[in-house]
Amino acid sequence: MSALFEPYVLREVTIPNRVWMPPMCQYSALPEGPSAGAPHDWHFAHYAARATGGTGLIIVEATAVSPEGRISPYDLGLWNDTQVEAFRRITAFLTAQGTVPAVQLGHGGRKSSTDRPWKGGAPVGPDAHGWRALAPSPVPFADGHPVPDELTAAGIQEIVGQFADAARRALAAGFEIVEIHGAHGYLINEFLSPHSNHRTDSYGGSYENRIRFALEVVDAVREVWPEEKPLFFRVSATDWLEDGGWSADDTVRFAARLREHGVDLLDVSTGGNVSGGGHIPVGPGYQVPFATRVRNETSLPVAAVGLITETGQAEKIIANGEADAVLLGRELLRNPSFARLAARELGAEVHVPEQYHRSV
């Protein structure tokens, strides 16, 4: 039997295979008005196509816990009940296709209030639906970015509460899994890394202080998220800096703490917190070893990412115990039916809509 198409059980949720879709922002929500941050037809079609293509788990793109937590004014959110109602259409369809619906909850931090990538991605102001960004320290992400406002202790606690409130709404919207976004230079990642966290209070300085905010968010979400449903955490395993940043050693140490606090799986990516990125040896599967190390040294389940594009490559990662699942980003954008085609190649079974039975 194909390892890639073995079901995977976390708590009381069964995911039908190990071909998963990671969160990928679409920058397509309305920026203002009563439907701001709510998914619409584009989002439905985008996710529905990957579900009918046999993807086992779909993690909906970074979904902001507050208007100020959006990466761009065009991001999705779960800060009000209008958004909950709009998401139900998507989760119901995914579930009907046998796909497990998940959502990534996040806060953009100092990388918030930027334009859409195809418009250049530069910071935007109030004249373009923008706002002042928040961060652990008043350190801009890059040249040309404004200095963010340093969060107060009270402001930090407000955001912790916003994550919990968004998790409650995710449950009401029909999601089976929540992932906390702690990667790619966004707010939680900014607190973790000494490159971006220059605080001198209980949320900065030492390793224990820098992980405090992340663990408080995890605890707040786990408290409101049902015991029978899994909780994921996405991490950037390294800043790709020689010194002065978050490291792979830090990630392994952190993974063990996350498991103690009720996280069921670590979604392991890298980078995003350093403008220019440092020296990153990009190539097929280049981020997989970071996931494998976490799995081997902590026994916390992991999902691997990073230029995983071929059936044999994905099968090998699972069969060799390098990860428990693979997250295919760009490949699923190119080929929404990757899972269905991979199953045929490996002689495995995958859910096929009744409407397709004559042609597959």
Side-chain angles (χ1 to χ4, degrees):
M1 180 178 178
S2 163
L4 192 61
F5 288 93
E6 289 181 2
Y8 192 59
V9 179
L10 286 168
R11 296 192 184 241
E12 296 181 20
V13 174
T14 299
I15 304 167
N17 60 57
R18 316 298 181 93
V19 180
W20 299 356
M21 182 176 177
M24 290 178 282
C25 290
Q26 297 298 292
Y27 306 102
S28 297
L30 293 175
E32 291 184 344
S35 295
H40 53 71
D41 285 352
W42 170 261
H43 303 92
F44 179 86
H46 172 64
Y47 293 113
R50 279 80 199 167
T52 57
T55 307
L57 170 77
I58 289 177
I59 308 176
V60 169
E61 64 202 78
T63 298
V65 300
S66 69
E68 299 78 20
R70 292 173 293 175
I71 300 165
S72 85
Y74 306 94
D75 286 6
L76 296 178
L78 266 173
W79 65 79
N80 65 44
D81 293 341
T82 298
Q83 295 156 348
V84 170
E85 289 300 321
F87 272 117
R88 283 179 179 155
R89 179 187 179 207
I90 294 174
T91 59
F93 186 85
L94 268 55
T95 300
Q97 303 310 309
T99 296
V100 175
V103 64
Q104 183 187 72
L105 301 179
H107 190 297
R110 65 178 183 167
K111 295 174 75 174
S112 294
S113 191
T114 57
D115 207 346
R116 290 168 288 192
W118 55 88
K119 296 287 187 179
V124 296
D127 59 334
H129 311 294
W131 58 91
R132 289 192 61 83
L134 301 170
S137 302
V139 181
F141 171 65
D143 293 341
H145 283 237
V147 176
D149 290 341
E150 182 175 30
L151 279 162
T152 64
I156 291 170
Q157 290 308 304
E158 181 180 5
I159 293 173
V160 171
Q162 289 169 346
F163 270 94
D165 289 342
R168 290 189 189 95
R169 291 191 176 97
L171 180 64
F175 288 104
E176 292 293 318
I177 296 172
V178 156
E179 175 173 279
I180 296 170
H181 197 353
H184 299 159
Y186 300 118
L187 186 63
I188 293 176
N189 190 189
E190 292 164 19
F191 271 91
L192 295 175
S193 174
H195 175 77
S196 46
N197 184 346
H198 300 175
R199 300 177 74 95
T200 57
D201 64 0
S202 61
Y203 290 96
S206 69
Y207 166 83
E208 289 294 332
N209 283 353
R210 286 184 282 109
I211 69 171
R212 189 182 309 279
F213 173 58
L215 294 181
E216 287 181 352
V217 169
V218 168
D219 288 345
V221 171
R222 188 73 267 182
E223 184 175 352
V224 303
W225 192 242
E227 181 69 21
E228 69 272 14
K229 296 184 185 295
L231 176 62
F232 291 4
F233 190 100
R234 188 165 224 194
V235 67
S236 281
T238 176
D239 283 339
W240 295 106
L241 292 173
E242 292 294 330
D243 55 59
W246 183 260
S247 70
D249 290 342
D250 292 328
T251 296
V252 172
R253 186 179 175 190
F254 183 47
R257 295 292 297 277
L258 290 172
R259 183 167 193 168
E260 293 171 0
H261 285 254
V263 168
D264 299 289
L265 180 140
L266 196 66
D267 175 356
V268 185
S269 186
T270 65
N273 194 38
V274 179
S275 178
H279 176 66
I280 303 177
V282 176
Y286 73 103
Q287 297 179 113
V288 175
F290 294 97
T292 304
R293 183 179 170 193
V294 168
R295 190 176 193 265
N296 289 344
E297 295 186 28
T298 71
S299 298
L300 181 66
V302 297
V305 303
L307 294 181
I308 301 169
T309 61
E310 298 178 355
T311 299
Q313 177 194 20
E315 173 75 9
K316 181 180 177 183
I317 289 169
I318 305 304
N320 290 351
E322 298 173 66
D324 298 283
V326 290
L327 289 159
L328 281 66
R330 290 176 177 85
E331 189 59 27
L332 274 173
L333 294 182
R334 289 186 287 262
N335 180 4
S337 295
F338 178 94
R340 195 146 34 86
L341 297 174
R344 178 190 291 178
E345 186 176 340
L346 295 169
E349 293 185 1
V350 69
H351 172 80
V352 177
E354 291 180 356
Q355 295 88 337
Y356 293 173
H357 279 182
R358 289 179 176 269
S359 59
V360 296

